Amino acid sequence: MLENSSRSLFALGFFALVSFPTKADASYYIELYNYFSLIPALPIVTPQNERPGDIYDIPGTIYARKADCFPEAKVDSSETYFLRALTLDIRNLSGEAAAAREMIGQITAEAGTSLENSVKVSFGESGKVKWDQITVRNLGTLLSDQNTKNACRQRLLSLLRSTSDDPNSVPWIIQSVWYATVNTAYRTTTRVSAAASGVIRSRLSSVDASGATQTEQQSERLTIANTGRTPFPIAWRPAFISQSHYEYIHQLLYADWLRSLMKQIYLSKSDQEILEILRKDFQFDFRKIPTPKEIARDMTRGKPISFEPDNKEHLLYMQATDVLIGVSEAIAAIGK
């Protein structure tokens, strides 16, 4: 990272979809990061039309675009699937999702019912997600080529040398980006009559500006689904990772609590509940977990190595890092 002191990488606004509550309320960092560990990739904080080959100054802030630094690097596109949905507290939604929720909540309230406190969040049309990835493997050569007349690369190298305490630092060059629409599903708390259901359906067209809506009657209760219209960046992988942090994470993988958490997502549980499970079952020590700021710093120091998307050990590193960040953010939010 070009600015090692920043915590922006892990201070989630959950890409304009999810906002996190105060310490008095439940937080869901662990489930969110566990979700993205299944890709595995890091969630994007605030979408800025990220493309592979773009460079973050600090993740969430674009330093330069691919066209300026790596115009010769080709990008491949493919499709993948995100099959599982997240269950979140309805209060955690923000941005367009929160606006749609408010309108849906008002419509159902006027029809004599209300929405449950939880919402299911999924991505893409039927889980289908677009995935773009830079295809050249010689970004390091392109970056350090002293004969290049590419001013963008020279500025990047200059920044890396001047802002790092270590002569080797890791640039945040984006290797892969996932794009998807965001879909939310709500359920009413009480039974809905046929007449009330008809009224709700007729009024839901006002929500269509932020995406199509559908309803389904289930045991006299109504499920309302809102499907986003526009795909935007939701997750990314770096082109380079820190070798020292990579080794640290692989040592940490011997910890029983981390292996267990990577296998069990503890669906629908809050951070407080999951941390209590870890403390009870594994004598989990909050004090031994690095802070989000420390994780961001450690990911940017030491010898940079190319992230290989076909390397199972590199993918395991990304997966475990996601889970560690989620736990670290949960601890910070709860104030342990």
Side-chain angles (χ1 to χ4, degrees):
M1 189 186 303
L2 304 183
E3 194 169 309
N4 287 327
S5 62
S6 173
R7 183 184 167 181
S8 297
L9 174 55
F10 309 126
L12 268 190
F14 202 52
F15 49 83
L17 169 66
V18 174
S19 63
F20 286 96
T22 63
K23 292 180 181 178
D25 298 321
S27 60
Y28 292 86
Y29 288 104
I30 295 175
E31 185 174 355
L32 286 169
Y33 275 102
N34 262 292
Y35 180 90
F36 282 95
S37 77
L38 300 177
I39 302 174
L42 296 167
I44 286 177
V45 177
T46 304
Q48 298 180 77
N49 194 30
E50 282 89 344
R51 296 284 296 157
D54 289 349
I55 301 168
Y56 279 134
D57 181 1
I58 52 177
T61 302
I62 296 291
Y63 169 75
R65 294 292 183 179
K66 173 187 180 298
D68 297 322
C69 267
F70 302 105
E72 62 271 67
K74 296 181 179 180
V75 174
D76 273 344
S77 294
S78 58
E79 291 181 348
T80 187
Y81 288 87
F82 292 176
L83 297 180
R84 188 171 72 79
L86 287 161
T87 299
L88 299 174
D89 190 297
I90 200 170
R91 294 168 297 178
N92 296 149
L93 298 182
S94 64
E96 289 186 1
R101 176 206 65 200
E102 292 299 326
M103 296 180 71
I104 293 171
Q106 182 177 347
I107 290 169
T108 53
E110 292 173 355
T113 186
S114 58
L115 301 177
E116 288 183 343
N117 289 331
S118 62
V119 56
K120 286 191 178 298
V121 179
S122 60
F123 301 96
E125 183 178 349
S126 300
K128 187 168 66 175
V129 175
K130 181 184 176 184
W131 176 23
D132 285 356
Q133 179 171 290
I134 205 161
T135 57
V136 297
R137 293 181 176 271
N138 62 336
L139 280 178
T141 302
L142 291 176
L143 179 62
S144 60
D145 184 0
Q146 297 302 312
N147 297 319
T148 182
K149 295 182 180 179
N150 186 318
C152 176
R153 292 180 205 163
Q154 294 302 318
R155 290 198 307 273
L156 178 60
L157 285 170
S158 177
L159 275 172
L160 287 170
R161 296 187 187 108
S162 64
T163 60
S164 175
D165 296 333
D166 192 299
N168 292 310
S169 56
V170 183
W172 282 124
I173 301 171
I174 299 175
Q175 181 190 79
S176 307
V177 182
W178 284 258
Y179 307 86
T181 56
V182 176
N183 317 308
T184 52
Y186 311 87
R187 198 162 183 245
T188 60
T189 56
T190 58
R191 64 181 298 273
V192 178
S193 67
S197 180
V199 170
I200 291 172
R201 287 191 182 96
S202 66
R203 295 197 57 198
L204 282 173
S205 60
S206 61
V207 187
D208 282 353
S210 61
T213 56
Q214 294 180 321
T215 61
E216 181 181 355
Q217 199 84 23
Q218 295 178 331
S219 301
E220 297 187 316
R221 294 166 71 182
L222 198 65
T223 296
I224 303 170
N226 180 246
T227 303
R229 290 189 182 280
T230 306
F232 56 85
I234 63 170
W236 71 289
R237 283 181 191 157
F240 298 96
I241 56 177
S242 161
Q243 181 169 337
S244 58
H245 192 254
Y246 170 82
E247 292 170 354
Y248 162 73
I249 289 294
H250 275 272
Q251 291 173 358
L252 189 63
L253 281 166
Y254 288 102
D256 290 339
W257 68 267
L258 182 59
R259 293 202 307 270
S260 177
L261 192 55
M262 290 171 67
K263 294 177 181 177
Q264 304 177 55
I265 308 300
Y266 300 116
L267 293 178
S268 303
K269 292 186 181 295
S270 69
D271 289 343
Q272 291 91 330
E273 292 171 315
I274 295 174
L275 290 176
E276 186 57 33
I277 291 171
L278 295 178
R279 178 160 51 186
K280 181 185 296 185
D281 293 350
F282 301 100
Q283 290 74 54
F284 187 71
D285 189 346
F286 298 106
R287 296 169 298 178
K288 293 184 178 180
I289 303 301
T291 66
K293 183 177 179 179
E294 289 169 341
I295 297 174
R297 178 200 64 200
D298 294 342
M299 290 177 71
T300 66
R301 291 183 174 175
K303 179 183 177 182
I305 58 176
S306 296
F307 180 84
E308 301 172 3
D310 298 326
N311 186 319
K312 292 182 179 179
E313 295 300 311
H314 285 196
L315 294 174
L316 183 60
Y317 161 79
M318 189 65 65
Q319 182 183 10
T321 299
D322 259 318
V323 177
L324 179 64
I325 295 168
V327 171
S328 180
E329 283 288 4
I331 294 170
I334 294 168
K336 294 291 186 181

